[in-house]
Amino acid sequence: MLHALLSDNLPRSRWLAAVLVVIVLALALAPFLFPGAKSLNVAVKICVFIVLAASYDLLLGYTGIVSFAHTMFFGIGGYGVAIALARLAPDWGAVALGTGAGVLVAVVLAALIGLFSLRVRTIFFAMITLAVASAFAILASQLSGLTGGEDGLNYRVPEALRPAFRLVEGDVLGVAVNGRIVTYYLVFLVSLALVLAMMRVVSSPFGSVLMAIRENAFRAEAIGYRTVVYRTVASCIAAAAAAMAGALLALWLRHTGPDTTLSFDLMIDILLMVVIGGMGTMYGAVLGATLLILAQNYLQDAMAAASQAAAGIPLVANLLHPDRWLLWLGLLFILCVYFFPTGIVGRLRAARGQG
């Protein structure tokens, strides 16, 4: 059963398996283990960015494609749901229409970019995707009548996803099962299904061809594989998953704007998640996204507590001041890349092999 669910792509490390079980259980029970608006918001972001990082790893880690347009597809999915809910009735039909339209537009754009650009060298393709993503972000900001411009769009969601909705009367384990809890489990379950689907893709013969292209595109072409077609299909699959992640975040935030879905900072975050977790492993996306989102949301609070504890030592207290959390975050990432050059997953699997 487990082999089929994971498409025979097992963790191959006891420590990695243990960490993954902890993460999945924590996310599955987050509304009851970590009650509160902030903790639930963090859990949703972890779910969404796991999908986003895994879809980008399908490009970078499995196919060897360096793209800077992944947040564009993320934004297309978010704006698809936002525009549909803002212009139509806030019901499930609008959600389905917006999600379907967003995924379709993302796939078509990915196919066009792939067919016209993937024949060029890696660095030139990366520059093309950066230019396309920048143009799309400017377009989203300028078309204020459709996208809300810089302010973005606010909208209502279906009744079952609203805070006033009650799935059951009374509390469950001390938590009111309202529309926000329903939305959280919608995000969690869809994210889980998307990650498992991508694991099935990379574990299939199609995934093996992608890895062959990554290792030596000329040799893969020589033995009969049309590398441009395979790369384009991989780009379309990754774009569809990214658009779905954007749609999920749009349902949770009930606001979509350039800063939430199209910012280049998000692209840097996704790249860090993949590199830190381990390229070419879906599990790396899980670990990388979890670590980065937790660090972004709780490192500053931890530093504030540490600074207060070291108040008697001025130099240490100043170094641990919460305003310097980005400095420490950067140092942690440098150390992580230095000590885990193949990512955390690669390091854990190597330790198992040495053992």
Side-chain angles (χ1 to χ4, degrees):
M1 178 65 181
L2 184 61
H3 284 262
L5 190 64
L6 299 179
S7 304
D8 285 326
N9 187 1
L10 299 179
R12 303 201 305 273
S13 167
R14 291 182 179 179
W15 284 106
L16 176 58
V19 172
L20 291 171
V21 168
V22 169
I23 292 174
V24 172
L25 288 178
L27 291 175
L29 301 175
F32 306 101
L33 293 177
F34 314 106
K38 179 179 179 179
S39 58
L40 202 59
N41 188 58
V42 170
V44 165
K45 286 186 176 180
I46 290 174
C47 292
V48 169
F49 276 91
I50 285 174
V51 174
L52 198 54
S55 62
Y56 188 65
D57 193 35
L58 181 62
L59 292 179
L60 181 63
Y62 284 92
T63 318
I65 298 174
V66 180
S67 170
F68 292 120
H70 211 56
T71 50
M72 178 181 72
F73 305 125
F74 183 58
I76 288 172
Y79 272 108
V81 170
I83 292 171
L85 288 174
R87 300 292 186 269
L88 304 174
D91 54 23
W92 291 107
V95 172
L97 178 62
T99 303
V103 171
L104 179 61
V105 171
V107 169
V108 170
L109 278 177
L112 291 175
I113 294 172
L115 291 175
F116 286 105
S117 306
L118 280 172
R119 296 180 184 274
V120 301
R121 293 177 181 269
T122 302
I123 185 63
F124 297 109
F125 175 75
M127 293 300 101
I128 290 172
T129 58
L130 178 60
V132 173
S134 299
F136 187 86
I138 294 172
L139 191 64
S141 299
Q142 295 299 319
L143 296 177
S144 56
L146 179 66
T147 64
E150 294 289 346
D151 295 330
L153 292 172
N154 295 311
Y155 42 87
R156 299 177 67 192
V157 293
E159 184 179 358
L161 306 182
R162 299 173 193 171
F165 176 79
R166 290 292 184 274
L167 184 63
V168 295
E169 295 295 334
D171 295 348
V172 177
L173 300 178
V175 176
V177 184
N178 57 18
R180 296 300 277 172
I181 304 298
V182 174
T183 309
Y184 174 78
Y185 278 108
L186 173 65
V187 172
F188 171 75
L189 292 174
V190 174
S191 298
L192 181 62
L194 288 171
V195 172
L196 292 176
M198 283 185 281
M199 289 182 67
R200 178 60 59 91
V201 170
V202 299
S203 300
S204 68
F206 175 79
S208 299
V209 176
L210 294 183
M211 288 184 277
I213 294 172
R214 177 195 66 193
E215 296 300 324
N216 194 319
F218 295 106
R219 183 174 297 174
E221 186 84 32
I223 62 177
Y225 293 112
R226 301 181 64 184
T227 57
V228 172
V229 174
Y230 277 91
R231 284 174 169 171
T232 301
V233 173
S235 297
C236 291
I237 295 172
M244 285 294 298
L248 293 175
L249 187 64
L251 287 176
W252 175 259
L253 293 179
R254 291 173 292 174
H255 169 80
T256 298
D259 292 337
T260 59
T261 56
L262 297 174
S263 171
F264 189 71
D265 292 341
L266 293 176
M267 188 66 245
I268 301 300
D269 288 345
I270 298 166
L271 183 59
L272 284 172
M273 291 172 188
V274 173
V275 171
I276 292 171
M279 291 190 294
T281 65
M282 288 288 126
Y283 299 119
V286 177
L287 268 63
T290 302
L291 289 174
L292 182 60
I293 298 298
L294 289 176
Q296 288 178 336
N297 286 274
Y298 293 111
L299 180 60
Q300 192 172 14
D301 295 338
M303 287 183 61
S307 180
Q308 291 179 358
I313 311 173
L315 179 61
V316 176
N318 287 332
L319 285 174
L320 295 176
H321 194 278
D323 289 344
R324 295 182 175 85
W325 74 278
L326 281 175
L327 170 64
W328 287 102
L329 184 62
L331 289 174
L332 288 174
F333 288 148
I334 292 172
L335 292 174
C336 189
V337 173
Y338 181 79
F339 288 106
F340 307 108
T342 57
I344 297 174
V345 172
R347 179 64 177 176
L348 290 175
R349 286 177 171 174
R352 176 185 180 274
Q354 293 171 0

